[in-house]
Amino acid sequence: MIVAGEASGDLHGARLVQAMLALDPRLRFCGMGGRELQAAGVELLADAAKLAVVGAVEVLGHLGDILRARRALLERMRTHRPDLLILIDYPDFNFLLARKAKKLGIPIFYYISPQIWAWRSGRVRTIKRLVDRMAVILPFEPAFYARHGVEVDFVGHPLLDSVKPGLSPEAFRSRHGIEPDRPLIGLLPGSRRKEIATLLPVFLAAAGLIGQELPRATFLLPLAPTVNRDLLDQHGLATWQERLDIRVIDEDRYAMMAACDAAMAASGTVVLELGILGVPTVAAYRMSPRTYWLGRLLIRGLRFFSLVNLIAEREVIPELLQDAASPERLAQATLAMLQDDEKRQAILAGLAEVRSRLGGPGASQRTAVAALDLLETRRMSRG
């Protein structure tokens, strides 16, 4: 049984299933996920799309779906006990399943650690008690777990297998009619409505300031599958397109990102994707003041909030949080990455260092070997 609750977990889980089936085609999978896991051959007992919510109010609104999903998975555990339970991130939901699986004697393999190194670190005791084997994807996580007496497998980051441009930067420019001498700047405000509402207007205003300094600059804005054009226009896109060359790109996502000379991006996975592609990026984030101050209370000891800088253990790219993420400071940081050659080369060298720390391609294959090793060890121990 494999359980993923978010889009990234669905994708990484599907690649793990494919890798495990390549090693042992006799395996059969059931569980919770989305289109990717289903396409990989997993029998879905619950649809993860109904559970992908953020915040207490949203969770309460989907409580019925969450409880139904949990019941379906527990019922299958009891009636057709799986030989292995694979859990992918999504801790609050997955820890409940792990407790039940432990009572049923089902071995538990956890893939992709929750961010307990950032907040609620006490949950490491739960992992130590429940999880039989754990595969982590960030290079600083083994040391964190070792400090708490937990041994984990560092398998490398699965993004190294998926972040691959289908076109060269030159071919991308040619396809979209962009002259070779135009500076290309990515605007990536996130894919959630709240992120777009808080970050897109600021990014567009920063683009306006950059355009005054670099009138030939072209700005690239990817259109995520979860976002429609009307939402972007509501937050200023149509107005700014009258003044600037802003292209909305709904294809060739990684090619678009790789073609950028610099980018402004919502802090999260996309910043690491840009880092893997070697694109100097300003990481930014804004949230409600109440959420921000609550986060400050819960998250202690972290010097950085972007994955690139956390992995490097130093500031490789600029980070702008809350009021610091102003149009003026975003424009200033972006222009510095474009115009200050010494700063730009230092960032590019730092991004190359981050890529080298991510473990190299093949994360899904290494994870599949570890999961099957646990499965075989448990089978042998049962005789």
Side-chain angles (χ1 to χ4, degrees):
M1 178 180 286
I2 185 166
V3 180
E6 297 170 321
S8 60
D10 183 44
L11 176 62
H12 300 324
R15 293 203 168 119
L16 174 57
V17 167
Q18 291 163 353
M20 291 177 71
L21 286 171
L23 293 170
D24 187 349
R26 299 169 300 171
L27 295 172
R28 296 293 179 268
F29 291 85
C30 66
M32 182 176 85
R35 288 178 296 179
E36 298 289 343
L37 276 170
Q38 188 172 42
V42 177
E43 176 195 354
L44 291 189
L45 307 174
D47 182 359
K50 296 180 180 179
L51 280 65
V53 293
V54 177
V57 175
E58 291 89 345
V59 168
L60 288 174
H62 289 77
L63 188 58
D65 293 323
I66 293 169
L67 293 176
R68 278 189 291 273
R70 184 181 169 215
R71 280 197 299 269
L73 295 165
L74 292 176
E75 180 64 19
R76 179 60 68 91
M77 277 190 203
R78 285 190 289 263
T79 58
H80 297 81
R81 186 175 302 182
D83 295 305
L84 182 67
L85 174 62
I86 300 173
L87 304 174
I88 302 178
D89 197 0
Y90 208 54
D92 293 324
F93 186 91
N94 279 336
F95 284 173
L96 290 171
L97 292 181
R99 291 186 183 97
K100 296 295 184 180
K102 198 73 173 178
K103 291 178 181 178
L104 292 170
I106 301 168
I108 300 165
F109 184 89
Y110 213 120
Y111 179 37
I112 305 179
S113 169
Q115 293 183 350
I116 58 175
W117 37 265
W119 68 300
R120 293 176 66 186
S121 61
R123 292 180 295 176
V124 72
R125 293 189 292 272
T126 302
I127 288 172
K128 185 175 183 178
R129 187 176 72 252
L130 297 176
V131 175
D132 296 287
R133 191 160 180 177
M134 186 160 196
V136 300
I137 64 174
L138 296 173
F140 56 80
E141 290 176 323
F144 167 84
Y145 279 102
R147 290 196 297 272
H148 294 85
V150 180
E151 185 178 347
V152 299
D153 298 301
F154 173 58
V155 294
H157 207 293
L159 282 179
L160 290 174
D161 294 313
S162 59
V163 180
K164 296 178 180 178
L167 297 170
S168 68
E170 295 76 19
F172 176 86
R173 284 175 178 264
S174 176
R175 173 175 288 187
H176 292 276
I178 302 170
E179 294 93 332
D181 62 336
R182 280 185 174 272
L184 281 186
I185 301 167
L187 305 177
L188 297 100
S191 57
R192 296 188 178 100
R193 296 181 69 89
K194 200 164 191 179
E195 290 174 328
I196 290 168
T198 55
L199 286 176
L200 181 58
V202 184
F203 283 7
L204 290 169
L209 295 173
I210 293 168
Q212 294 175 19
E213 181 79 16
L214 300 174
R216 285 184 56 76
T218 291
F219 299 89
L220 303 178
L221 178 61
L223 185 65
T226 55
V227 175
N228 60 51
R229 175 59 192 256
D230 289 343
L231 178 64
L232 302 180
D233 287 339
Q234 286 171 25
H235 296 289
L237 175 61
T239 300
W240 279 102
Q241 280 186 313
E242 296 174 2
R243 312 180 208 176
L244 300 169
D245 182 11
I246 303 175
R247 315 282 181 94
V248 177
I249 307 295
D250 60 1
E251 59 180 358
D252 305 329
R253 179 171 179 266
Y254 288 136
M256 182 222 84
M257 291 163 66
C260 291
D261 299 301
M264 292 176 263
S267 184
T269 301
V270 69
V271 171
L272 186 56
E273 291 175 328
L274 287 160
I276 290 170
L277 293 168
V279 179
T281 300
V282 184
Y285 213 76
R286 283 186 165 193
M287 58 197 80
S288 71
R290 182 178 297 177
T291 301
Y292 173 69
W293 287 110
L294 179 60
R296 288 285 298 269
L297 290 173
L298 293 174
I299 299 174
R300 298 179 182 274
L302 287 185
R303 294 171 55 206
F304 307 109
F305 65 86
S306 75
L307 281 172
V308 164
N309 291 343
L310 284 167
I311 292 166
E313 300 178 280
R314 60 187 174 86
E315 185 176 294
V316 170
I317 61 172
E319 296 183 346
L320 298 174
L321 184 63
Q322 289 302 96
D323 293 340
S326 65
E328 293 76 18
R329 291 190 64 178
L330 283 162
Q332 181 183 32
T334 304
L335 285 167
M337 296 189 302
L338 291 167
Q339 296 177 326
D340 184 332
D341 190 60
E342 184 177 346
K343 181 182 288 290
R344 182 175 182 83
Q345 292 307 314
I347 291 174
L348 291 173
L351 295 179
E353 179 186 333
V354 168
R355 285 198 301 277
S356 72
R357 292 188 180 191
L358 289 176
S364 299
Q365 287 72 26
R366 288 188 287 272
T367 307
V369 170
L372 290 173
D373 181 62
L374 173 59
L375 180 60
E376 185 60 27
T377 300
R378 282 307 185 94
R379 282 175 175 169
M380 291 176 65
S381 68
R382 291 197 296 262

